[in-house]
Amino acid sequence: METAGVCPDAVTFVGVLSSCANLGAVSVGHEVEQRIESSRLGLNPFLNNALINMYARCGNLVKARANFDGMPVKSVVSWTAIIGGYGMHGYGEIAVELFDEMIKSGIRPDGAAFVSVLCACSHAGLTEKGLEYFSEMKMKHRLQPGPEHYSCVVDLLGRAGRLNEALELIKSMQVKPDGAVWGALLGACKIHRNVEMAELAFERVIEFEPTNIGYYVLLSNIYSEAENLEGVLKVRVMMRERKLKKDPGFSYVEYKGRVHLFLAGDRSHPQKKEIYRMVDELEALVKKLAGCKDNEERRNKEALIGMGVHSEKLAIVFGLLNSEPGTEIVVIKNLRMCDDCHLFFKGVSKIVTRQLVVRDATRFHHFRDGHCSCKDYW
């Protein structure tokens, strides 16, 4: 567009910032912010909201909050963006404080605002607070919950282990439950290893999303953890018959304005030798730190089925090799992080004494000094 001599306007910048948010391209987003300032469009509320969303989804909550605090007039969209940002990062208590502050300031919450605060409560384990908001939504604010709100509450109850209540809520819905609602229940069954309810949720969810590979993988993992090999085989046959293939796991990290992307077991990077050497060293240190059993058998199994070392490990180690000591490393991942990698990053954050941030398919994880911001509630 610029080559054609067309000058970007506010709508253009909003579109680009949205793309930056989806990709986690914070350096490009920062350049766009500078262009906005030089174009004297800084007071545009739509641009400010887009900047809050971009910085929050790229892992920089400090910048997101600075943009929010600097707005002379804040709309419900502005509040929703910052509440959603804190919720995504696992800071549910702050998200709740902001939601209450928004209402005290006279701003009436809409459906999107309730989605943000309900998700924040779910990620932080604030079950009773989330249920209170869901009740207030109907009784106090006269808003009719949609499938997206029920999905949040099913997730809220499910994460807390209240699976029967979650199922009863679905049965009592005044609107028809969609794939996301049943998918939330299926995800909760994975956390609490409830095979029977998982099968029920799976049957319902594939009625709505028969080609969503994630649900098949989720059920397969539930069967695998229950050591139900017949179930695992059944899912594989189903996937083969429907010609469905698992999405490859990939992670990427920005370095000097360039994106470095890694697949699971990737050996195409120019620094592969140094990366794999450090992965092995760190795994040995983490194992020693946590007193874990030898994970060589697991690594061998991964190699046999073509996974190799998970992509987020490679991305984080690349960041460690190429950044200054003490600097934060932010990695974007397309799938949900596994338990093994989560444990690995907690250990590494303690060993290297710096913050490691991973944005997976559902949320941010901030690893520092052996702990994660999710408090293992994810």
Side-chain angles (χ1 to χ4, degrees), residues 230-298:
E230 186 180 335
V232 173
L233 183 61
K234 182 176 71 175
V235 175
R236 286 181 181 173
V237 169
M238 212 182 304
M239 290 169 63
R240 195 179 303 121
E241 288 175 349
R242 299 175 188 187
K243 297 180 180 178
L244 300 172
K245 289 185 178 180
K246 183 180 177 181
D247 295 330
F250 66 80
S251 302
Y252 54 87
V253 59
E254 268 194 85
Y255 176 64
K256 292 186 175 179
R258 185 185 159 205
V259 169
H260 292 257
L261 186 141
F262 298 88
L263 297 171
D266 201 335
R267 292 188 177 270
S268 62
H269 197 276
Q271 289 182 271
K272 62 186 177 191
K273 287 184 180 179
E274 300 98 304
I275 291 171
Y276 274 89
R277 187 184 302 118
M278 182 175 267
V279 167
D280 288 337
E281 290 172 359
L282 287 171
E283 284 200 330
L285 289 169
V286 169
K287 182 182 68 176
K288 188 176 179 182
L289 187 71
C292 298
K293 294 179 181 178
D294 197 330
N295 59 9
E296 190 64 34
E297 185 181 346
R298 175 189 53 75

Side-chain angles (χ1 to χ4, degrees), residues 26-101:
V26 68
S27 62
V28 179
H30 183 61
E31 286 180 29
V32 172
E33 183 180 31
Q34 292 176 325
R35 290 285 301 274
I36 290 168
E37 290 172 356
S38 63
S39 303
R40 297 182 181 179
L41 292 169
L43 295 177
N44 185 303
F46 299 103
L47 283 173
N48 282 322
N49 293 337
L51 282 167
I52 293 166
N53 181 57
M54 184 276 294
Y55 276 120
R57 294 192 63 187
C58 289
N60 194 334
L61 268 179
V62 174
K63 283 285 287 182
R65 186 61 185 263
N67 276 277
F68 174 78
D69 289 339
M71 292 182 71
V73 179
K74 301 173 180 68
S75 68
V76 67
V77 177
S78 315
W79 286 97
T80 300
I82 195 66
I83 290 165
Y86 276 104
M88 192 188 304
H89 286 263
Y91 301 117
E93 291 84 359
I94 298 175
V96 163
E97 288 174 10
L98 285 165
F99 187 82
D100 292 342
E101 189 180 331

Side-chain angles (χ1 to χ4, degrees), residues 208-223:
F208 296 93
E209 302 178 43
T211 60
N212 188 328
I213 189 70
Y215 295 131
Y216 294 84
V217 173
L218 198 53
L219 182 63
S220 178
N221 290 339
I222 292 169
Y223 280 136

